[in-house]
Amino acid sequence: MSLFTNYTTQLKQEFSGYNTKKLSKDLLSGVTVAAVALPLALAFGVGSGASAASGIVTAVIAGLFIGALSGASYQISGPTGAMTAILVSLVAQYQLQGVFIACLLSGILLLLAGIFKLGDLVAFIPLPVITGFTSGIAVIIALGQINNLTGFVSSGHSTLAKLSSYFTMEQSFNGAAFVIGTAVILFMLIYPKKFNQYCPSSLAAIILATAATVLFKLPIDNVGEIPRSIFLQDRLHLSGINMDQIQNLLIPAVSIAALGLIESLLCGASAGRMKNEKLNAGQELIAQGIGNIVLPFFGGVPATAAIARTSVAISSGAQTRLTSIFHAIVLLLSMFVLGGVMSAIPLSALAGVLIVTAWRMNEWHVIKDIFHKKLKSSISKFLITMAATVIFDLTIAIIIGVFFSIVMFVIKVSDMQINVSDIDPNKLQDKTQYSDHHKRTCVIYITGPLYFGTANKIFHERSTFGRYFGRKGFGGFVLALISAK
C-alpha cells in the first residue's frame, strides 16, 4: 500500500501545473527520442539473436509500461547493447522461447527486488567493477557483429567458442556487406555532433546505407519482413513453460535481472543529476519487473533503462513520463507505416551501428582516470572483471569483481605499520621539560587500523621495539595512533 501511495504522490508532484506548453515539450521530445531509438531498437533486436521486429516491440512495450510506472519522470527504457551481450548466447543455447522464459523470470526477480527495496545494494559494487563489465559487454557486442559485417559464419554458445569456430569452419567473405558496414561506422564517427539534434547519426547512416543497397542491388542480407502487429508470431505462451525449463534458465534470468537492476539504477542516478530529480529506486525496479514480465507475451526481449535515450529526452526538454509514452507511440506507428522500408535495411549497416555503440558505451573518462593515476587496485578490478565478462557471463563477472575487491580491501585495511623512536625534544610543547625520564621513554607509532585482524602484528613486531624494553631504567612508552589513509 505504501508503494502505491508513494507512486501516486510522485505523479501528483510531477503533473502539478501541467499545461499545453509542457505537453508540447513532451510530444516534441518523444518524437526526438523515437528517432534515436528506432535504429537502435532494430540493431539490438537483430544483435540479440531475435529479430528487428522484436527490438521495436521491446522498445514500444517498455516505453509504455516501464515509462508509465517508472521511479522518475525522465527514464526511457528499451532494448540495450548490454542486454544484447547476454541474450545472443542465450538464443544460441535455448532459442527464443528460452529468452522469453528467462525474461519472465527476471521480471519476477526485479519486481521482488523493488518490493523489498534491494536497489541500494548497487552502491556496494565498486566503480572499476561496473566499468570493467561494461567494457567486457562492449567487447562481446563488437565481436558478435563479425558475421553480419563480413558474411562469415560461426557456431558455439560462448564468445570464445564462436571466435575459434572461424578457424575451423569454411568461410565466405561478403565484400559488399563489409563496405556498407564500414561506411556506416566511419559515417557515424565523423558525423558532426551539432547535426544530431536534427537527425541522429545512426538513423542518417541507416537511411543512406539502405538507399545505396537498394539502388545498386547489392547482395547483402537484410532485416526481412516487419510484421504489422504488436503481437509477434514468436512470443511466450504459458502452456509452453515447464519446470525443467525454469530450472535451466534460472541462472540466465539472474544475470538478466542483475544487469537490469544495475543499468536502470545507474542510468537513473546519472540522469537524475542532469535533471536535478532523485530516482525512486524501489519504484523503478517494480516498473522494470512489470515491464519484463509483460514483454515476452508480445514477443519482446528483456529491456532496461537506456542512458543514451534518457539523456536525449532530458536535453530535448522532456517534462514528464509522457515523453516515454509518446516515443513508444511514434515507434509503433513507424512499425505500421514504415515496415516495408525497414525490411530492406541491410544487416551489415545495423552491425556497423552496434560496433559504434559498443565503442561509445565504454566509460572512457573513468578508464583514462584509473590508468592515468596508476591506481593498481582499480586497474586490477577493471581488467579482471572485463576478462571474466567475456570469458564467462555477467553474473559470474560481478561476483569475481566484487570478491576481488573484498580481498583487496581486506589486504589494505590489514596493512598496519609499526615504528619506534626516541622522544624528539623538538616535538615537546615545553622543551625545557626534557629530562632523563624522556630519554628512557620511547614512542611507538602505529599507522593503520587497530582491530582484531591486526592485533597479532604488534606481538610479531615486538622485535622492532624489544631493544627499548631491555634498557636499564626503561621508563615506558607513548602510543601514537595514526589513521590509515
Side-chain angles (χ1 to χ4, degrees):
M1 183 61 71
S2 62
L3 291 172
F4 179 75
T5 304
N6 291 338
Y7 175 65
T8 54
T9 302
Q10 184 180 351
L11 288 181
K12 288 177 182 178
Q13 293 175 348
E14 186 177 328
F15 286 93
S16 176
Y18 198 73
N19 51 35
T20 53
K21 185 178 180 181
K22 290 186 176 181
L23 176 63
S24 63
K25 287 185 176 180
D26 279 338
L27 182 59
L28 181 61
S29 59
V31 173
T32 304
V33 174
V36 174
L38 179 60
L40 294 177
L42 293 168
F44 293 145
V46 173
S48 65
S51 64
S54 184
I56 296 180
V57 167
T58 303
V60 171
I61 301 302
L64 292 173
F65 284 86
I66 301 178
L69 299 172
S70 178
S73 65
Y74 47 78
Q75 291 274 73
I76 306 293
S77 296
T80 63
M83 198 63 77
T84 298
I86 294 180
L87 300 181
V88 67
S89 60
L90 197 58
V91 171
Q93 191 168 358
Y94 297 103
Q95 287 74 52
L96 271 177
Q97 285 301 311
V99 172
F100 295 149
I101 295 173
C103 182
L104 174 64
L105 295 174
S106 69
I108 295 172
L109 292 174
L110 285 169
L111 182 61
L112 293 174
I115 293 173
F116 291 104
K117 299 181 178 180
L118 300 181
D120 294 338
L121 293 176
V122 176
F124 294 98
I125 303 177
L127 181 60
V129 173
I130 294 175
T131 305
F133 79 69
T134 301
S135 295
I137 287 169
V139 171
I140 294 173
I141 293 171
L143 293 176
Q145 307 317 306
I146 294 176
N147 289 7
N148 288 335
L149 187 67
T150 62
F152 291 167
V153 291
S154 61
S155 64
H157 301 319
S158 67
T159 301
L160 296 182
K162 289 179 180 178
L163 283 177
S164 63
S165 70
Y166 286 121
F167 302 97
T168 58
M169 300 178 67
E170 187 176 346
Q171 304 293 347
S172 177
F173 181 71
N174 188 328
F178 183 76
V179 169
I180 290 294
T182 304
V184 167
I185 294 172
L186 295 175
F187 180 86
M188 290 182 65
L189 292 177
I190 64 174
Y191 191 78
K193 290 184 178 180
K194 62 182 180 180
F195 290 167
N196 274 313
Q197 58 182 319
Y198 306 110
C199 182
S201 61
S202 56
L203 183 60
I206 285 178
I207 291 173
L208 293 174
T210 304
T213 303
V214 174
L215 183 63
F216 296 106
K217 298 180 180 179
L218 299 177
I220 305 174
D221 291 337
N222 55 30
V223 167
E225 183 182 0
I226 302 289
R228 288 174 171 80
S229 172
I230 194 68
F231 291 97
L232 301 182
Q233 185 174 358
D234 284 325
R235 62 181 187 272
L236 180 63
H237 298 280
L238 288 175
S239 59
I241 303 176
N242 58 62
M243 284 305 299
D244 289 338
Q245 289 176 313
I246 292 175
Q247 290 176 354
N248 291 334
L249 293 165
L250 190 57
I251 298 301
V254 171
S255 296
I256 293 171
L259 179 58
L261 184 148
I262 293 168
E263 268 211 295
S264 297
L265 298 187
L266 290 180
C267 173
S270 177
R273 289 190 290 270
M274 294 172 61
K275 200 179 178 185
N276 195 26
E277 178 184 338
K278 188 177 179 181
L279 175 76
N280 184 332
Q283 181 60 39
E284 180 62 28
L285 293 181
I286 289 173
Q288 295 291 337
I290 293 173
N292 281 285
I293 289 172
V294 172
L295 269 167
F297 295 101
F298 288 86
V301 294
T304 184
I307 185 61
R309 278 154 274 177
T310 300
S311 300
V312 169
I314 294 173
S315 61
S316 59
Q319 300 295 305
T320 68
R321 64 191 66 225
L322 288 179
T323 294
S324 176
I325 295 172
F326 287 145
H327 119 276
I329 294 172
V330 172
L331 288 176
L332 182 61
L333 292 175
S334 68
M335 185 176 179
F336 294 144
V337 177
L338 302 175
V341 177
M342 288 191 290
S343 65
I345 296 175
L347 292 179
S348 60
L350 295 180
V353 171
L354 285 176
I355 289 173
V356 175
T357 301
W359 173 262
R360 290 175 176 171
M361 72 185 290
N362 283 283
E363 298 176 69
W364 293 113
H365 62 288
V366 178
I367 297 172
K368 181 180 178 181
D369 188 53
I370 62 176
F371 277 91
H372 179 70
K373 293 180 179 178
K374 298 179 180 179
L375 304 173
K376 295 181 180 179
S377 176
S378 296
I379 292 172
S380 300
K381 295 172 192 174
F382 168 77
L383 293 176
I384 288 173
T385 308
M386 182 175 69
T389 304
V390 176
I391 297 171
F392 305 111
D393 62 37
L394 179 68
T395 307
I396 295 176
I398 293 176
I399 292 172
I400 291 174
V402 171
F403 178 76
F404 180 76
S405 300
I406 293 172
V407 172
M408 294 299 293
F409 174 75
V410 171
I411 292 173
K412 184 177 180 180
V413 300
S414 300
D415 184 20
M416 184 178 69
Q417 297 177 354
I418 301 174
N419 294 291
V420 185
S421 70
D422 293 317
I423 291 179
D424 185 354
N426 295 320
K427 292 182 180 180
L428 292 176
Q429 201 168 28
D430 186 357
K431 298 178 183 178
T432 61
Q433 297 294 320
Y434 185 72
S435 63
D436 289 340
H437 175 72
H438 291 99
K439 294 178 181 179
R440 297 194 303 272
T441 305
C442 68
V443 181
I444 300 174
Y445 294 95
I446 298 179
T447 305
L450 184 59
Y451 71 113
F452 69 90
T454 58
N456 282 337
K457 190 166 185 180
I458 296 177
F459 175 77
H460 290 301
E461 293 291 332
R462 66 188 186 279
S463 59
T464 303
F465 46 86
R467 58 190 178 91
Y468 289 91
F469 290 169
R471 284 180 179 178
K472 184 178 181 181
F474 178 67
F477 63 88
V478 178
L479 185 66
L481 297 176
I482 303 174
S483 300
K485 294 181 181 180

